[in-house]
């Protein structure tokens, strides 16, 4: 029995399923607590369907990774990366809704865009034209989200409505510039657009092997910038407090993400560009019993995902006694 477990442990990826189940149970419990708080007109109002989606996607990440371990090739690797991209995209949506509850207009946009990009890559290949379409789409989407998130301060319009009401939007941006937080909004928006344009140029120039890592880097930059913007507004502008538990979870998640990234980058034991047999030849010696560096990466990444999800779920627990209308940036 131990030998069977040793042979199958890296393919099962039970840690993703376990963390997904635990997070789902936490979401159910938190939604019951916050329902009573929100009915009294206090606390941050969340769409807990987004958090449930995170739990489901985390489970799918583990399932798709198991598919790769059963048969390591480019197809199963691409499926695995697809769900990782979706997960990171919905991390950003959960972070947005912390202080911007009206994000229903973009709830399905990340999944649709990533699916379309994946389809374009599979059908047309990654030629210059495909990269140009991906780059232009990336820049336009960032512009659309940035204008509403940072310059206007709320999600209320579709791209077509944004263009039709551009005069009113310009007036709103001008009026919002008088608010104390505007300089942070404008600065974050400018830095985000600059990073997006630079990243898009690298894509058009063919500096990426595939668009998966391009998407991952784009989403990580987006999350990092908004997280910085969030804490600047929370601590420096609004003078809010951060709960000690939030600091502990944030620090732990950052350390685990760093460790898992280092293992992924510097101890590569897979290669999807070769046959499964040749890829298995890259396997390394086990570190702890039947666990090798790749298994260790899965354990650390599952834990870091779990802690990140807990962070997003409890990010504004310090605002539970504050009136909801007084919370949003």
């Amino acid at each position: 029995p131990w030998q069977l477990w040793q042979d199958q442990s890296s393919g099962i990826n039970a840690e993703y399923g376990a963390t997904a189940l635990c997070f789902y149970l936490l979401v159910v419990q938190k939604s019951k607590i916050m329902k009573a708080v929100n009915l009294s007109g206090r606390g941050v109002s969340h769409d807990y369907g987004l958090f449930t989606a995170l739990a489901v996607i985390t489970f799918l990440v583990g399932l798709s990774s198991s598919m790769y371990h059963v048969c390591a090739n480019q197809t199963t690797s691409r499926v695995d990366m697809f769900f990782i991209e979706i997960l990171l995209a919905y991390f950003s949506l959960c972070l947005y809704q912390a202080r911007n509850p009206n994000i229903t207009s973009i709830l399905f946009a990340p999944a649709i865009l990533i699916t379309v990009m994946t389809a374009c890559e599979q059908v047309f290949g990654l030629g210059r034209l495909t990269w140009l379409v991906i780059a232009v789409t990336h820049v336009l989407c960032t512009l659309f989200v940035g204008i509403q998130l940072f310059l206007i301060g709320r999600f209320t319009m579709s791209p077509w409505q944004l263009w039709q009401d551009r005069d009113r939007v310009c007036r709103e941006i001008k009026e919002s510039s008088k608010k104390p937080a505007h300089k942070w909004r404008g600065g974050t928006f400018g830095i985000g657009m600059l990073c997006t344009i630079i990243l898009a140029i690298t894509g058009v120039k063919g500096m990426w092997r595939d668009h998966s890592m391009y998407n991952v880097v784009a989403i990580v930059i987006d999350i990092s910038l908004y997280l910085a913007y969030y804490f600047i507004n929370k601590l420096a502008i609004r003078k809010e407090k951060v709960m000690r538990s939030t600091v502990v979870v944030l620090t732990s998640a950052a350390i685990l993400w760093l460790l898992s990234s280092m293992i992924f980058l510097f101890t590569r034991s897979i290669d999807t560009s070769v046959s499964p047999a040749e890829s298995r030849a890259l396997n390394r010696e086990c570190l702890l019993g039947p666990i090798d560096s790749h298994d260790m990466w899965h354990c650390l990444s599952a834990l870091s995902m779990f802690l990140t999800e807990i962070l997003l779920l409890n990010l504004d627990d310090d605002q539970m006694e504050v009136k909801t209308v007084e919370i949003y940036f």
Side-chain angles (χ1 to χ4, degrees), residues 236-265:
I237 304 298
R238 296 178 59 86
K239 307 298 183 182
E240 297 174 0
K241 295 181 180 180
V242 178
M243 297 186 68
R244 186 175 299 176
S245 58
T246 302
V247 176
V248 172
V249 173
L250 176 62
T251 305
S252 301
I255 292 172
L256 288 177
W257 276 119
L258 179 62
L259 291 174
S260 61
S261 299
M262 291 177 64
I263 292 175
F264 180 78
L265 293 173

Side-chain angles (χ1 to χ4, degrees), residues 139-154:
V139 172
L140 291 178
C141 289
T142 304
L143 184 65
F144 165 69
V145 172
I147 287 175
Q148 297 205 70
L149 187 65
F150 297 110
L151 301 186
I152 298 177
R154 66 183 188 278

Side-chain angles (χ1 to χ4, degrees), residues 290-303:
I291 301 176
D292 63 6
S293 60
H294 190 71
D295 296 327
M296 186 69 71
W297 171 73
H298 277 301
C299 292
L300 291 176
S301 63
L303 286 174

Side-chain angles (χ1 to χ4, degrees), residues 69 71 95 104 110 112 114 124 139 161 164 172 189 201 214 217 230 263 267 273 288 291 319-320:
H69 285 128
C71 184
L95 183 59
T104 53
I112 293 172
I114 292 172
F124 302 107
V139 172
Q161 291 172 324
Q164 284 186 319
E172 288 192 20
F189 174 71
I201 292 173
Y214 175 92
V217 171
Y230 169 87
I263 292 175
T267 62
S273 63
L288 299 171
I291 301 176
Q319 300 296 298
M320 292 180 68

Side-chain angles (χ1 to χ4, degrees), residues 8 34 42 54 74 80 105 107 111 134 144 159 161 183 188 204 237 241 244 249-250 254 264 303 327:
Q8 300 296 325
M34 291 305 299
R42 299 180 183 277
L54 279 185
Q74 289 185 336
D80 190 17
S105 60
L107 283 181
I134 291 174
F144 165 69
Q161 291 172 324
K183 61 180 180 180
T188 307
V204 173
I237 304 298
K241 295 181 180 180
R244 186 175 299 176
V249 173
L250 176 62
F264 180 78
L303 286 174
I327 292 176

